[in-house]
Amino acid sequence: MESMPAAGTPTSGDACLSIVHSLMCHRQGGESETFAKRAIESLVKKLKEKKDELDSLIAAITTNGAHPSKCVTIQRTLDGRLQVAGRKGFPHVIYARLWRWPDLHKNELKHVKYCQFAFDLKCDSVCVNPYHYERVVSPGIDLSGLTLQSSAPPAAAMLVKDEYTRDFEAAPEARAPPTVQHTPASRVSSEGYPAAAAMMAPGEAGGANFAGVPVAPAGGGSDWTGGRTAPFGPGVAQHQNGHLQHHPPVHAGHYWPVHNELAFQPPISNHPAPEYWCSIAYFEMDVQVGETFKVPSSCPVVTVDGYVDPSGGDRFCLGQLSNVHRTEAIERVRLHIGKGVQLECKGEGDVWVRCLSDHAVFVQSYYLDREAGRAPGDAVHKIYPSAYIKVFDLRQCHRQMQQQAATAQAAAAAQAAAVAGNIPGPGSVGGIAPAISLSAAAGIGVDDLRRLCILRLSFVKGWGPDYPRQSIKETPCWIEIHLHRALQLLDEVLHTMPMAEPQPLD
């Protein structure tokens, strides 16, 4: 039986404004005040003719679900989503975020048994009572602040994205890696955590885990999409990312004790360092805007921001660049780039990113994929404001290059030999089956290896299955960073590994 409202608590008979004001006092702070007010006003108006349900909602919210409450229903829309303030989201998720879990992802909700109109039941009406749903967070591994849900089905492992408009998921559930968050608290310091080489067990040091580098069609036009967004956000309870706290434990099964001798390792190559340590191209959607910005090796720290000061030396200002094809959506994002990001080159060519913007940035990084236990190119990593994250390790990249180039060379030779009939196949198939099985490895080309030397970073807006944007080329503002020392090493690797012609077997 439901409890009577406490003194001072509004009832369904009160004015909408009074009810909205009371319910606003219980919001969790994950949304802006404007959005929360619009969402609550919309719900209260829909429930004004269903007084028992409105009273049930008021009782549930004002008592924090202390007593059982009835279903609170609204009409299901054709696509199942509700539009509030120009943004669409699943209704039960919107209100659960408002009043219970600000960092909630839609796949983390499970309705309670007694809910008769739960979203998953596909009824004509949808229950939006936040206390008719439970949060189910999949178990996972917390690795140096990278929150993983790898043991759960991928769709259930996603966490909420956080953009300046916080637009809700428009894409259907898709198979992709889990969401990982990088927070200021999860940063990996150069003193506390070594480069990837020292963190791998001896059997991993050869980079064998990178044998699955995605093979894309030859040429530069292929989309490099990555997988589910891996957000790296604050570990404090008051932040938008809610009460999830991320700590940086060292997983005993994968790491060796920390040593500092890596700092004294000789350079990978004797070739002089390139004149420029990186070059940065700025894009709006799929169009490059302005000239490529080259960063001298004498400036190990470069800032990419949204201001209109002249670019030069250690600062690339995007605000001054013009684009005749610029849309209103792009203009809005450009206004939110603000202080942008800082890119820092350490040692021979390791790269760190510091998010100076008030809004998260999204990075595609093979190094972070490795740290998160993902396949290379398998994730998009979300870096929250103030976070300082290592995104590129030169030695790891070099090992990857060598391993991938050797794999491609051996596979191409074996494939040619198989097609020529020099490798017996199972049964009566002859050499055809081996040729087919080797085709993917043999198809690894220079473009695939060059991707190891490139970072991509989008401002404010993310991409991947968590978002309406499936490719970074669909994000309003992004940059591509070519790392020249890594490209220099790639050139050396390719020149020292000529592709040998397969010899016939006599």
Side-chain angles (χ1 to χ4, degrees), residues 31 35 87-89 94 97 161 166-170 468:
E31 294 287 356
F35 178 85
R87 294 153 43 193
K88 281 194 171 185
I94 292 176
R97 283 176 182 163
K161 61 184 178 295
R166 291 180 60 86
D167 54 338
F168 295 99
E169 295 79 5

Side-chain angles (χ1 to χ4, degrees), residues 160-459:
V160 67
K161 61 184 178 295
D162 177 23
E163 306 180 37
Y164 78 95
T165 56
R166 291 180 60 86
D167 54 338
F168 295 99
E169 295 79 5
E173 294 178 11
R175 292 181 297 169
T179 296
V180 185
Q181 303 194 2
H182 298 247
T183 79
S186 73
R187 73 183 186 191
V188 181
S189 71
S190 57
E191 294 80 13
Y193 296 89
M199 302 172 84
M200 290 187 288
E204 297 175 321
N209 285 357
F210 289 101
V213 168
V215 178
S222 60
D223 278 342
W224 184 27
T225 60
R228 280 253 159 84
T229 310
F232 285 49
V236 290
Q238 291 76 18
H239 191 272
Q240 283 187 345
N241 234 40
H243 58 272
L244 295 180
Q245 297 193 16
H246 306 287
H247 304 285
V250 175
H251 194 285
H254 297 283
Y255 293 90
W256 294 98
V258 173
H259 299 293
N260 291 323
E261 59 264 24
L262 280 178
F264 306 102
Q265 287 188 343
I268 299 172
S269 170
N270 293 324
H271 279 81
E275 180 182 0
Y276 300 98
W277 72 266
C278 78
S279 56
I280 306 170
Y282 169 62
F283 294 83
E284 292 176 357
M285 309 296 280
D286 60 350
V287 176
Q288 181 173 347
V289 179
E291 299 293 326
T292 299
F293 183 78
K294 294 184 177 181
V295 185
S297 294
S298 58
C299 296
V301 179
V302 61
T303 302
V304 184
D305 59 40
Y307 300 130
V308 295
D309 299 287
S311 300
D314 62 351
R315 188 174 176 194
F316 185 19
C317 296
L318 307 178
Q320 59 168 339
L321 302 176
S322 60
N323 176 13
V324 294
H325 303 292
R326 185 170 293 154
T327 63
E328 184 180 347
I330 295 172
E331 288 283 12
R332 285 200 302 269
V333 171
R334 282 170 58 85
L335 291 174
H336 288 82
I337 294 174
K339 295 179 181 179
V341 295
Q342 231 175 35
L343 306 171
E344 181 176 0
C345 181
K346 290 187 176 184
E348 191 177 353
D350 294 352
V351 179
W352 293 62
V353 166
R354 187 189 302 276
C355 181
L356 303 176
S357 173
D358 291 334
H359 305 280
V361 296
F362 300 79
V363 178
Q364 195 155 45
S365 157
Y366 286 160
Y367 171 77
L368 289 177
D369 293 343
R370 169 80 190 215
E371 295 301 284
R374 307 305 306 172
D378 202 29
V380 180
H381 300 267
K382 181 175 182 180
I383 301 179
Y384 277 83
S386 301
Y388 181 50
I389 302 292
K390 183 177 182 179
V391 294
F392 182 80
D393 184 283
L394 186 66
R395 291 183 183 276
Q396 180 196 87
C397 179
H398 186 237
R399 285 193 302 274
Q400 249 179 291
M401 292 174 192
Q402 293 175 314
Q403 190 267 338
Q404 290 301 321
T407 299
Q409 180 185 16
Q415 183 184 29
V419 172
N422 294 330
I423 298 179
S428 60
V429 180
I432 302 302
I436 294 172
S437 64
L438 291 167
S439 61
I444 297 173
V446 175
D447 285 338
D448 300 290
L449 295 173
R450 280 177 59 83
R451 288 195 184 96
L452 303 177
C453 313
I454 296 171
L455 297 169
R456 284 179 163 184
L457 181 152
S458 69
F459 294 95

